[in-house]
């Protein structure tokens, strides 16, 4: 078609812009002289001139924060508040239920009045996540391919697009050998063709007929159909084929932090299949645990298993009135946070105390609750776990996580996270470092009575690792042990936690469950507590009765957890072993035959009550066991007693102890004192070895309630003295604090929080920060005066955040943010709830409600100039400059509203920026 002259064109065609956006933008970026020349060339091209503005320098955007600070004194108070607030429609507060692994959450026993600290811990562990979504912020899901690492292969999954011209050429390969020419189509300017190919309408196949084209459809249905059509075959990632953004440049997208959850290391599934010896005359019992030879530490609790036949189980029926389903497990799930080639799986076997085949049944009925060490076998896990592969992968990931320098050592959190990823695949999955294997052991080492301690075991394992000389020095016993070791799948049916809680999914028709075995990591694990756990482990180690009477030879120890001094006060809180009740009131240690100074390797696992008192204590009763039956004689001969109070100055006692042993009945109120410092009695107590320590034990606690740190213990105790009715003076560790000294001591404890050990501080991080934020926004009443801890609390939060951020043992995300703090802000942080934060310290007073009184806007400048003075002065001192104004409406509204209405106000979330 011929090009029309400009005079004959339609009016709207003359107004069409013929210049590209790039040419227009060039006019604003070129120097003045060059821009003027370019504008002249455009105007002389024969087309209507484009009127462009003169060149000007680009204006920098206004620095909002700088402008606000420079005009802070002249701005209207209400306007300044509106400028500082987040918009109402930008925030969306969502309460998300926590994901619970078990069928029911882990909770203390019912019907017990809990201490304030225990109540706060449980509330922290079971309450919902509070997540604040910003509607106008870019979604971090855009970086989904960056997390999964599948961006480079994504183009392979896209369907190949086939056009009509290509389909015609494929269907008629011989019809036309050369390129098909098209009629030339020109634009209105006549500058040239718009396309370079020809097509023939008659040769094209018609499009598919549109069904119901003329059918009348309502507007709602029509919009719904269009929406469904738009979502059909839509790609999940819009910019999936776009090159990856450099991590240093992608600051505008903040990834969602990992949700806090219970720590689980590399999980190993161990199934016991067979355990037998050449001579089978009595029941045998197996226990399995993991040991690290290099660290010389036991890194798991014991797993007890019973592989006896029904005939041998019948021998012990008189001593096992009930058998819980949880005690019949033959497979265990071990957890290893720090894999190493020095980790051994040690299988120990115990037998009944008598070995006469013809009298086995009668002896089991008489001595069925006593056992003896028999044999043990080590199994190295280095052949199953490719530790070098994990170490190499951790080294490769170092530059990515936290931007560590080349000389900075690898963080423990990174290695833990990587090892979890390496072993989180399904059993026999691709890339797993474990190999499913059935292992057979045909030789055991005899457990010698004078070398049963863990120190002796580590020496044996070290010799066993270096050479086979151990087999020549220690007597071997032929036998057969068959077990299967594999990677634990992510989901295990019918599994129990270390507290015997069923894990989802848990079918009811299965009778033999799996058991998760609690790990004792060789190093710190910096993961905050998220579930209630309150366990105590007691390890009797050594008893020295060498100077005792000759009757003390076959010695066993009965261990009980008592809530009083009467015989009926033994609590059923001791975990049972195999083929027995789930919980027991007493357990007995294994007996070393004819040994007056025996070593013990027993592990007694106790479920601690949520509320402990001064009456709770561990009671140890020592007996001599008569193997030969005597007419009219008792099997047990009492040798003595010892005890250990659970609380010392209202704090849980843990560690190693060497206790004296009383040879006679204990006096009344003995449990109120430690065995080493019991006062003089009338008549005096008769002690073994003149009241010297002869019984060595070790006590360890794995608890998400007891902090086991002096600084945290003091801080929590003083905080709860403000929140509940207490009687002064209160005892905190080894000091008594009066009401007048409470404010000073609490400020000192707030300042000293950052001096806590890093591991307990991280374990209780959520509760610590919650308490500090509560003290920041809510003044308290002490002895009738208002005490404001906000400055000290805020400085403590800053110090803790700085300590965690600078720690080399904690990981950071790609933007350099500490993962623990980012996770707390995203999921945990919320404003204190007024109904729970009523200060009740001291006697009731007639002072008007001061909880919502804070410094007004007009006096804020005066108060800020007195910060240094406030450090050494009581904030309740009436001489402090700056008068209390009327109740601040902002704080009053926040404290009187529910947390669920926070979506209507962003004030409470300003604290988010402290960690961002």
């Amino acid at each position: 078609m011929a090009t029309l002259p400009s005079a004959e064109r339609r009016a709207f065609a003359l107004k069409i812009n013929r210049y590209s956006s790039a040419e227009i933008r060039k006019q604003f970026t070129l120097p003045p002289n060059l821009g003027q020349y370019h504008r002249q060339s455009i105007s002389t091209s024969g087309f209507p001139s484009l009127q462009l503005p003169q060149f000007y320098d680009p204006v920098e955007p206004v620095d909002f924060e700088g402008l606000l600070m420079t005009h802070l004194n002249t701005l209207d108070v209400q306007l300044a508040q509106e400028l500082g607030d987040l918009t109402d429609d930008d925030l969306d507060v969502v309460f998300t239920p926590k994901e619970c692994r078990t069928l029911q959450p882990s909770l203390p026993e019912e019907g017990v009045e809990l201490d304030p600290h225990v109540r706060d811990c449980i509330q922290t562990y079971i309450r919902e996540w509070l997540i604040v979504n910003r509607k106008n912020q870019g979604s971090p899901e855009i970086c989904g391919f960056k997390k999964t690492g599948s961006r480079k292969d994504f183009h392979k999954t896209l369907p190949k697009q086939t056009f009509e011209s290509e389909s015609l050429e494929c269907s008629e390969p011989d019809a036309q050998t050369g390129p098909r020419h098209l009629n030339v189509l020109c634009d209105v300017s006549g500058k040239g063709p718009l396309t370079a190919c020809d097509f023939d309408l008659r040769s094209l196949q018609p499009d598919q007929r549109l069904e119901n084209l003329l059918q009348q459809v309502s507007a709602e249905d029509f919009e719904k159909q269009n929406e469904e059509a738009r979502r059909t075959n839509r790609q999940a990632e819009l910019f999936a084929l776009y090159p990856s953004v450099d991590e240093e440049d992608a600051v505008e997208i903040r990834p969602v932090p990992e949700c806090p959850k219970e720590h689980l290391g590399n999980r190993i599934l161990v199934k016991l299949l067979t355990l037998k010896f050449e001579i089978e005359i009595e029941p045998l019992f197996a226990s399995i645990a993991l040991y690290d030879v290099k660290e010389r530490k036991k890194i798991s609790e014991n797993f007890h298993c019973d592989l006896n036949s029904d005939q041998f189980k019948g021998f012990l029926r008189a001593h096992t009135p009930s058998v819980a389903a949880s005690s019949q497990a033959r497979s265990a799930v071990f957890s290893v946070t720090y894999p190493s080639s020095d980790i051994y799986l040690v299988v120990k076997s115990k037998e009944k105390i008598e070995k006469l085949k013809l009298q086995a049944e009668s002896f089991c009925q008489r001595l069925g609750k006593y056992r003896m060490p028999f044999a043990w076998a080590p199994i190295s896990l280095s052949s199953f776990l490719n530790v070098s592969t994990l170490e190499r992968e951790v080294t490769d990931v170092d530059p990515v996580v936290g931007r560590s320098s080349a000389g900075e050592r690898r963080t423990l959190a990174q290695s833990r996270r990587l090892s979890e990823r390496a072993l989180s695949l399904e059993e026999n999955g691709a890339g797993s470092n474990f190999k499913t294997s059935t292992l057979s052991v045909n030789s055991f080492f005899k457990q010698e009575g004078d070398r049963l301690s863990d120190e002796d075991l580590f020496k044996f394992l070290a010799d066993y690792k270096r050479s086979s000389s151990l087999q020549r020095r220690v007597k071997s016993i032929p036998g057969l042990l068959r077990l299967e070791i594999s990677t634990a799948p992510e989901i295990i049916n019918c599994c129990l936690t270390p507290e015997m809680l069923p894990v989802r999914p848990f079918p009811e028709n299965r009778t033999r469950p799996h058991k998760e075995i609690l790990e004792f990591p060789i190093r710190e694990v910096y993961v905050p507590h998220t579930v209630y756990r309150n366990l105590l482990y007691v390890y009797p180690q050594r008893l020295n009765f060498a100077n005792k009477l000759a009757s003390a030879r076959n010695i066993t120890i009965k261990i009980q957890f008592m809530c009083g001094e009467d015989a009926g006060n033994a609590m059923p809180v001791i975990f049972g072993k195999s083929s027995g009740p789930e919980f027991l009131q007493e357990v007995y240690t294994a007996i070393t035959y004819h040994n007056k100074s025996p070593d013990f390797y027993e592990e007694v696992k106790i479920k601690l009550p949520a509320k402990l008192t001064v009456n709770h204590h561990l009671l140890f009763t020592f007996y001599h066991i008569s193997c030969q039956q005597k007419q009219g004689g008792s099997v047990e001969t009492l040798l003595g007693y010892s005890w250990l109070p659970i609380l010392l100055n209202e704090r849980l006692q843990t560690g190693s102890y060497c206790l004296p042993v009383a040879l006679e009945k204990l006096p009344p109120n003995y449990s109120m004192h430690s065995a080493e410092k019991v006062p003089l009695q009338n008549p005096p107590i008769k002690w073994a070895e003149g009241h010297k320590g002869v019984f060595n034990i070790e006590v360890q606690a794995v608890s998400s309630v007891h902090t086991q740190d002096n600084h945290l213990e003091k801080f929590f105790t003083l905080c709860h003295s403000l929140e509940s009715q207490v009687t002064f003076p209160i005892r905190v560790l080894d000091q008594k604090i009066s009401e007048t000294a409470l404010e000073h001591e609490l400020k000192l404890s707030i300042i000293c929080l950052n001096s806590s050990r890093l591991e307990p501080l991280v374990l209780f991080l959520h509760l610590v920060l919650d308490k500090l934020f509560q003290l920041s926004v809510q003044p308290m009443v002490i002895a009738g005066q208002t005490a404001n801890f906000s400055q000290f609390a805020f400085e403590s939060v800053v110090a803790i955040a700085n300590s965690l951020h600078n720690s080399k043992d904690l990981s950071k995300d790609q933007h350099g943010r500490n993962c623990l703090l980012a996770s707390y802000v995203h999921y945990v942080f919320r404003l204190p709830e007024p109904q729970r934060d009523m200060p009740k310290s001291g006697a009731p007073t007639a002072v008007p409600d001061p909880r919502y009184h804070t410094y007004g806007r007009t006096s804020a400048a005066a108060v800020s100039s007195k910060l240094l003075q406030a450090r050494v002065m009581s904030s309740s001192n009436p001489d402090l400059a700056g008068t209390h104004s009327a109740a601040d409406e902002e704080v009053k509204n926040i404290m009187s509203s529910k947390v669920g209405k926070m979506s209507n106000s962003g004030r409470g979330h300003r604290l988010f920026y402290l960690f961002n």
Side-chain angles (χ1 to χ4, degrees):
M1 182 178 67
T3 304
L4 296 175
S6 58
E8 299 181 7
R9 295 181 189 172
R10 296 185 180 182
F12 76 89
L14 297 176
K15 298 179 181 181
I16 296 179
N17 185 7
R18 300 293 180 182
Y19 306 103
S20 64
S21 300
E23 292 177 333
I24 296 176
R25 286 194 299 269
K26 190 179 297 183
Q27 306 308 308
F28 297 93
T29 57
L30 291 175
N33 297 334
L34 184 58
Q36 184 68 25
Y37 168 78
H38 191 68
R39 284 192 294 271
Q40 292 176 1
S41 63
I42 293 179
S43 63
T44 58
S45 60
F47 297 98
S49 299
L50 179 64
Q51 299 297 328
L52 298 178
Q54 295 294 326
F55 179 81
Y56 60 90
D57 294 332
V59 179
E60 293 293 334
V62 177
D63 186 355
F64 176 75
E65 289 80 4
L67 178 65
L68 191 63
M69 295 303 297
T70 55
H71 298 80
L72 185 61
N73 296 328
T74 59
L75 283 178
D76 180 68
V77 175
Q78 184 176 1
L79 177 60
Q81 179 177 342
E82 294 178 356
L83 292 176
D85 286 344
L86 298 173
T87 57
D88 294 339
D89 59 346
D90 183 52
L91 297 181
D92 181 23
V93 179
V94 180
F95 287 91
T96 304
K98 286 187 177 180
E99 181 180 355
C100 185
R101 295 180 59 240
T102 56
L103 296 181
Q104 298 294 333
S106 179
L107 296 173
E109 58 275 12
E110 297 181 357
V112 178
E113 183 180 358
L114 302 178
D115 293 333
H117 173 65
V118 179
R119 185 176 62 249
D120 287 347
C121 289
I122 296 173
Q123 178 65 23
T124 303
Y125 302 149
I126 66 175
R127 70 185 181 187
E128 299 173 316
W129 300 128
L130 190 149
I131 302 176
V132 179
N133 297 320
R134 291 175 171 83
K135 300 178 181 179
N136 299 324
Q137 189 179 46
S139 174
E141 296 178 356
I142 297 177
C143 297
F145 283 90
K146 186 176 181 181
K147 297 179 181 179
T148 60
S150 59
R151 177 188 289 271
K152 60 182 180 180
D153 299 327
F154 178 69
H155 67 279
K156 299 178 181 179
T157 63
L158 296 177
K160 183 179 179 181
Q161 291 185 344
T162 304
F163 299 95
E164 294 180 352
S165 59
E166 297 176 350
S167 61
L168 290 175
E169 291 179 0
C170 295
S171 61
E172 301 177 6
D174 300 331
Q176 186 174 350
T177 56
R180 303 176 64 183
H181 298 281
L182 285 172
N183 298 327
V184 178
L185 298 179
C186 301
D187 64 354
V188 294
S189 62
K191 288 188 175 182
L194 294 177
T195 62
C197 297
D198 190 9
F199 63 89
D200 187 0
L201 291 177
R202 291 186 177 88
S203 63
L204 298 178
Q205 294 294 330
D207 292 338
Q208 194 173 14
R209 178 175 297 180
L210 298 177
E211 300 292 339
N212 303 325
L213 179 61
L214 302 178
Q215 183 178 357
Q216 188 174 4
V217 183
S218 63
E220 293 80 5
D221 295 340
F222 188 73
E223 289 294 334
K224 185 177 181 181
Q225 293 175 6
N226 288 341
E227 182 179 358
E228 294 176 355
R230 284 193 297 269
R231 295 184 179 276
T232 304
N233 298 328
R234 174 177 289 187
Q235 297 298 332
E237 300 291 341
L238 182 60
F239 296 100
L241 298 177
Y242 192 79
S244 301
V245 181
D246 189 1
E247 291 183 356
E248 297 184 357
D249 298 334
V251 294
E252 71 279 2
I253 300 176
R254 292 186 175 181
V256 176
E258 184 178 358
C259 184
K261 60 182 178 180
E262 180 183 1
H263 168 72
L264 298 175
N266 307 311
R267 289 156 58 87
I268 310 168
L269 179 61
V270 179
K271 299 179 181 180
L272 268 72
L273 305 178
T274 305
L275 175 62
K276 61 182 180 180
F277 293 88
E278 289 186 351
I279 302 177
E280 296 184 357
I281 60 174
E282 59 183 346
L284 296 172
F285 303 91
S287 64
I288 305 177
L290 296 181
Y291 292 82
D292 193 307
V293 180
K294 183 178 180 180
E295 301 292 336
R296 300 181 65 84
K297 183 178 180 180
K298 182 182 179 185
I299 61 174
S300 78
E301 64 177 357
N302 289 341
F303 168 62
H304 300 276
C305 182
D306 183 2
L307 296 175
N308 292 300
S309 62
D310 293 337
Q311 177 186 3
F312 286 150
K313 291 180 180 179
F315 291 174
L316 306 173
R317 194 164 290 117
H319 301 280
T320 54
S322 62
V323 178
S326 60
S327 66
Q328 296 181 337
R330 293 184 179 179
S331 57
V333 181
F334 290 89
S335 179
V336 180
T337 297
Y338 304 105
S340 169
S341 59
D342 299 306
I343 296 179
Y344 282 82
L345 184 74
V346 177
V347 182
K348 297 181 181 180
S349 176
K350 297 179 183 178
E351 61 178 354
K352 288 306 168 188
I353 198 170
E354 201 54 58
K355 297 184 179 180
L356 299 179
K357 184 174 182 179
L358 298 178
Q359 301 177 353
E361 184 174 359
S362 61
F363 275 108
C364 284
Q365 293 176 358
R366 190 169 67 92
L367 305 173
K369 61 181 178 180
Y370 311 109
R371 301 178 185 180
M372 289 181 58
F374 182 44
W376 66 281
I379 300 172
S380 175
L381 296 182
S382 60
S383 58
F384 300 96
L385 178 62
N386 188 356
V387 182
S388 60
T389 302
L390 287 178
E391 294 176 350
R392 183 169 60 253
E393 291 179 357
V394 172
T395 305
D396 294 340
V397 83
D398 274 344
V400 178
V401 183
R403 300 180 195 163
S404 302
S405 60
E408 185 177 358
R409 65 183 180 89
R410 180 176 69 250
T411 65
L412 302 181
Q414 294 173 15
S415 61
R416 179 178 71 253
R417 183 171 58 254
L418 183 57
S419 60
E420 288 176 356
R421 188 183 73 242
L423 293 180
S424 64
L425 301 176
E426 291 291 335
E427 189 173 357
N428 295 330
S432 175
N433 292 317
F434 262 77
K435 303 175 183 178
T436 302
S437 176
T438 300
L439 187 67
S440 297
V441 178
N442 299 318
S443 178
F444 292 79
F445 297 114
K446 181 176 176 57
Q447 287 186 300
E448 301 177 356
D450 56 345
R451 289 189 289 182
L452 294 176
S453 65
D454 284 347
E455 291 81 2
D456 296 321
L457 177 61
F458 288 124
K459 293 179 182 179
F460 288 148
L461 291 176
D463 294 341
Y464 178 81
K465 182 180 180 181
R466 286 194 298 265
S467 63
S468 59
S469 60
L470 180 63
Q471 299 181 0
R472 296 191 298 268
R473 294 188 293 106
V474 182
K475 181 180 178 180
S476 298
I477 301 175
L480 176 61
L481 170 66
R482 291 180 63 252
L483 48 82
E484 182 181 286
I485 304 178
S486 62
T487 302
E490 185 176 352
I491 298 178
I492 303 178
N493 291 327
C494 199
C495 189
L496 298 173
T497 66
E499 292 83 8
M500 300 301 171
L501 297 176
V503 180
R504 304 174 186 268
F506 196 87
E508 298 180 357
N509 55 355
R510 183 166 179 174
T511 59
R512 199 179 297 280
H514 306 277
K515 276 188 179 180
E516 292 182 350
I517 306 303
L518 191 64
E519 180 190 9
F520 306 142
I522 59 175
R523 295 189 294 274
E524 293 83 356
V525 176
Y526 300 106
V527 178
H529 287 310
T530 56
V531 295
Y532 173 77
R533 173 165 289 160
N534 204 15
L535 301 176
L536 188 73
Y537 293 87
V538 181
Y539 298 93
Q541 295 178 332
R542 190 171 294 105
L543 177 66
N544 186 6
F545 272 180
N547 298 328
K548 190 84 171 74
L549 298 177
S551 60
R553 293 178 298 171
N554 305 329
I555 301 176
T556 186
I557 307 174
K558 181 174 70 174
I559 302 176
Q560 297 171 293
F561 188 89
M562 310 291 291
C563 61
E565 298 180 356
D566 296 336
N569 293 136
M571 301 183 66
V573 293
I574 301 177
F575 285 82
K577 298 181 180 178
S578 55
S579 296
E582 190 166 279
F583 289 97
L584 302 170
Q585 291 182 327
E586 59 190 31
V587 293
Y588 290 82
T589 61
I591 299 173
T592 304
Y593 193 66
H594 279 202
N595 193 333
K596 301 177 66 174
S597 299
D599 291 330
F600 304 96
Y601 60 83
E602 208 77 21
E603 178 184 81
V604 181
K605 180 180 177 182
I606 299 174
K607 182 180 180 180
L608 280 176
K611 184 177 179 60
L612 294 175
T613 65
V614 294
N615 295 322
H616 288 100
H617 63 282
L618 290 170
L619 178 62
F620 306 96
T621 309
F622 305 89
Y623 293 101
H624 165 76
I625 304 302
S626 301
C627 298
Q628 302 297 330
Q629 186 173 6
K630 298 179 181 180
Q631 186 174 4
S634 174
V635 174
E636 299 177 348
T637 301
L638 180 64
L639 299 177
Y641 301 92
S642 190
W643 71 96
L644 179 69
I646 293 298
L647 296 180
L648 177 62
N649 296 329
E650 299 185 0
R651 183 185 178 189
L652 182 67
Q653 287 205 80
T654 57
S656 298
Y657 303 90
C658 186
L659 303 178
V661 175
L663 302 179
E664 296 177 348
K665 185 179 179 180
L666 297 175
N669 300 323
Y670 71 89
S671 63
M672 306 299 293
H673 311 278
S674 62
E676 304 96 318
K677 301 178 181 179
V678 63
L680 294 177
Q681 302 289 324
N682 189 17
I685 303 175
K686 184 178 180 181
W687 299 94
E689 300 292 338
H691 204 182
K692 294 181 180 178
V694 295
F695 175 45
N696 296 86
I697 65 167
E698 183 180 356
V699 179
Q700 296 179 3
V702 180
S703 174
S704 59
V705 173
H706 300 281
T707 62
Q708 304 179 67
D709 182 88
N710 290 338
H711 298 294
L712 295 179
E713 198 83 25
K714 181 178 180 179
F715 172 70
F716 286 134
T717 302
L718 295 179
C719 284
H720 294 130
S721 66
L722 295 176
E723 302 169 359
S724 57
Q725 194 74 30
V726 296
T727 302
F728 289 95
I730 59 175
R731 175 174 289 277
V732 180
L733 301 179
D734 56 349
Q735 69 176 131
K736 293 183 178 180
I737 300 177
S738 63
E739 187 174 10
T740 57
L742 177 60
E743 180 180 353
H744 175 71
E745 292 295 333
L746 180 54
K747 289 180 179 179
L748 288 180
S749 68
I750 294 174
I751 296 173
C752 294
L753 274 179
N754 195 41
S755 301
S756 304
R757 292 183 294 113
L758 183 59
E759 185 184 26
L761 179 61
V762 170
L763 292 178
F764 292 89
L765 180 64
H766 296 171
L767 188 57
V768 169
L769 293 179
D770 284 348
K771 290 295 181 184
L772 289 176
F773 285 131
Q774 175 184 337
L775 294 174
S776 297
V777 301
Q778 176 178 312
M780 297 292 179
V781 176
I782 300 178
Q785 290 187 334
T786 302
N788 195 327
F789 301 95
S790 58
Q791 175 192 346
F792 296 91
F794 183 80
E795 290 181 353
S796 180
V797 171
V798 174
I800 292 175
N802 182 68
S803 177
L804 298 182
H805 180 79
N806 295 329
S807 175
K808 296 181 180 180
D809 295 331
L810 302 179
S811 61
K812 301 180 179 66
D813 60 14
Q814 60 263 39
H815 302 306
R817 299 185 306 169
N818 182 271
C819 294
L820 296 177
L821 296 176
S823 177
Y824 171 81
V825 171
H826 188 82
Y827 295 98
V828 184
F829 170 76
R830 65 190 68 196
L831 288 177
E833 301 176 14
Q835 61 269 23
R836 294 186 54 219
D837 301 330
M838 296 291 293
K840 300 178 181 179
S841 174
T845 61
V847 178
D849 186 7
R851 291 184 295 130
Y852 310 129
H853 286 200
T854 182
Y855 292 107
R857 302 292 185 188
T858 56
S859 58
V863 175
S864 62
S865 65
K866 300 292 184 178
L867 287 180
L868 182 60
Q869 181 183 5
R871 295 188 178 185
V872 295
M873 297 178 57
S874 170
S875 57
S876 60
N877 193 331
D879 298 330
L880 185 63
T883 58
H884 282 79
S885 64
D888 190 333
E889 292 299 328
E890 177 185 0
V891 177
K892 186 174 182 180
N893 292 335
I894 293 176
M895 300 302 297
S896 61
S897 63
K898 298 292 185 178
V899 180
K901 298 180 180 179
M902 289 171 56
S903 58
N904 296 327
S905 175
R907 301 182 181 92
H909 303 283
R910 292 174 184 170
L911 294 170
F912 285 11
Y913 298 105
L914 177 64
F915 303 124
N916 293 345

